[in-house]
């Protein structure tokens, strides 16, 4: 895309091409391949003893201008790990599956973790019709365009998954700067999205005196600075980001009358996250009052922090040790499919370093030997879970 990087938006041609490529790899590895009701691609090997499935994978979509590894690493490593386990050890005792989850990022539609929520039966009533992309296309129409039936979303629900393992890049600097080369995720931070609408007064950019303006964008800018200061003051792992803003009427010679932005606020501790949300909300209200603006702060998303499964974390620690690494226990600041699938299965995650901590940008990278180490540890963990005698 312009400016570099990948953009595989849900149900777009790039997304379809990637899904087909993964399906071809899974077929080549001898797995039974299917696309579910929302477009998650599954590859399955039957276990000799049946029972609940051991699943590994990650998401196939990306943010705009994203990197090559966020999500894709976990998909490619899943295919590689399962294919090599089957090639080396034959049929597992447990059902073993790979999944390329159709959407996690919320890039095209403001509905993140769509694929994992469909598996975990967490889709909201009416969501397919209600949610629209920037062009006004509904999720339902986007599904139809790739041959999926929006009335059949419930068909993606799985109640027979025992464990879900996800390999992912860290997306922050801890492993790269402080080591070791593998991390076991014990918890995933909760995310709140607050939509803020600031209303001032549109005026002529040439004729209205600076001292008499009620400029909504200047108010929103002061709020963005104050929001970041709140998170800095609370300290790690509190984070708060304003990543999107629109103004009205968005004309070069008009003082902005309205500014709308979304605050993404995260913390791994539920009480601290509630404090963070209250403090950023108050900061916006104080600034609006000082500047004679109206402000409305509305919670549009609230995903609580999630603890991952301690038993799977132990399996992952043993797998890291077998690869020669004593892993670090970590909390993920980024959101992941595992946080939703934790409601439907015993979920665990393994991190490899992100060079310079860079992610959600074209420079996202991980050393090849760390990718191999992570994939190897994933395969070892899957072997322990799915080749039990
Ligand atoms: C997705 O990467 C998120 O953490 O929002
Ligand atoms: Mn991401
Ligand atoms: Mn991701």
């Amino acid at each position: 895309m312009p400016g570099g990087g990948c953009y595989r938006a849900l149900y777009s041609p790039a997304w379809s091409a990637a899904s087909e490529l993964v399906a071809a790899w899974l077929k080549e590895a001898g797995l039974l391949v299917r696309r579910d009701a929302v477009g998650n691609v599954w590859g399955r090997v039957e276990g000799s003893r049946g029972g609940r499935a051991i699943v590994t994978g990650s998401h196939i979509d990306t943010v705009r201008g994203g990197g090559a590894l966020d999500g894709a690493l976990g998909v490619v490593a899943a295919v590689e790990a399962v294919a090599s386990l089957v090639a080396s050890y034959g049929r597992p005792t447990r059902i073993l599956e790979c999944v390329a989850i159709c959407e996690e990022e919320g890039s095209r539609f403001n509905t993140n973790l769509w694929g994992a929520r469909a598996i975990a039966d967490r889709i909201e009533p009416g969501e397919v019709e209600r949610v629209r992309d920037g062009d006004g296309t509904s999720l339902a129409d986007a599904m139809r365009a790739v041959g999926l039936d929006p009335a059949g979303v419930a068909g993606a629900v799985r109640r027979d998954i025992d464990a879900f393992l996800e390999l992912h890049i860290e997306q922050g600097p801890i492993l790269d700067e402080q080591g070791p080369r593998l991390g076991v995720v014990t918890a995933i931070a909760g995310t709140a999205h607050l939509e803020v609408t600031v209303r001032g007064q549109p005026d002529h950019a040439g004729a209205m005196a600076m001292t008499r303006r009620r400029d909504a964008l200047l108010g929103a800018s002061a709020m963005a600075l104050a929001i970041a200061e709140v998170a800095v003051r609370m300290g790690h792992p509190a984070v708060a980001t304003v990543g999107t803003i629109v103004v009205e009427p968005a004309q070069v010679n008009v003082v902005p009358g309205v500014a709308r932005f979304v605050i993404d606020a995260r913390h791994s501790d539920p009480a601290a996250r509630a404090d963070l949300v209250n403090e950023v909300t108050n900061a916006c209200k104080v600034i609006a009052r000082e500047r004679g603006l109206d402000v409305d702060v509305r919670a549009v998303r609230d995903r609580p922090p999630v603890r991952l499964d301690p038993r799977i974390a132990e399996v992952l620690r043993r797998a890291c040790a077998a690869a020669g690494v004593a892993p670090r226990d970590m909390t993920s600041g980024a959101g992941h499919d595992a946080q939703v699938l934790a409601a439907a299965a015993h979920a665990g995650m393994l991190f490899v370093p992100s060079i310079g901590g860079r992610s959600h940008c074209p420079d996202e990278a991980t050393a090849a030997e760390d990718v191999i180490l992570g994939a190897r540890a994933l395969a070892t963990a899957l072997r322990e879970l799915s080749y039990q005698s």
Side-chain angles (χ1 to χ4, degrees), residues 62-86:
T62 71
V63 292
R64 285 184 174 75
L69 297 172
D70 179 2
L73 170 66
V75 173
V76 173
V79 179
E80 184 57 32
V82 171
S84 45
L85 284 173
V86 173

Side-chain angles (χ1 to χ4, degrees), residues 132-337:
R132 285 170 192 275
D133 69 7
D135 298 329
T137 304
S138 69
L139 194 45
D141 281 341
M143 288 183 76
R144 286 186 198 100
V146 295
L148 295 167
D149 175 8
V153 164
V157 174
R158 294 279 305 261
R159 301 195 198 281
D160 60 343
I161 301 177
D162 179 16
F164 174 71
L165 273 61
E166 183 175 10
L167 176 66
H168 206 282
I169 51 169
E170 181 202 332
Q171 308 183 276
I174 296 171
L175 293 176
D176 187 44
E177 290 175 2
Q178 299 168 37
R181 289 160 65 199
L182 294 170
V184 171
V185 182
T186 53
I188 299 177
T191 302
H193 284 173
L194 306 169
E195 190 178 81
V196 183
T197 306
V198 185
R199 289 179 199 283
Q201 182 175 289
D203 276 304
H204 195 290
M208 179 54 80
M210 295 303 287
T211 49
R212 296 188 51 172
R213 294 183 182 192
R214 292 170 58 225
D215 184 324
L217 178 57
L218 290 184
S221 306
M223 290 173 196
L225 290 170
I227 288 160
E229 275 160 22
V230 167
V232 169
R233 209 168 44 241
M234 279 186 79
H236 183 78
V239 283
T241 307
V242 175
T244 154
I245 186 162
V246 291
V247 298
E248 293 170 18
Q251 192 167 318
V252 69
N253 58 355
V254 182
V255 176
V258 177
R260 286 180 221 279
F261 61 91
V262 179
I263 307 169
D264 176 309
R266 308 189 190 203
H267 201 293
S268 51
D269 175 71
R273 193 181 61 123
D275 288 347
L276 177 63
V277 166
N278 286 339
E279 284 199 37
V280 295
T281 303
N282 284 340
C284 292
K285 289 185 176 160
V286 167
I287 289 166
R289 221 173 15 247
E290 285 168 359
R291 291 174 172 262
L293 302 164
D294 293 324
V295 70
D296 176 54
V297 183
R298 198 166 61 90
V300 288
R301 173 160 298 138
D302 187 10
R303 302 220 191 276
V306 171
R307 296 225 145 265
L308 296 184
D309 189 83
R311 186 178 66 90
I312 300 294
E314 266 309 306
V315 173
L316 290 168
R317 283 186 201 106
R318 275 196 292 279
C320 294
V325 178
R328 173 192 290 267
D329 277 4
M330 310 187 72
T331 293
S332 174
H336 296 290
D337 297 304

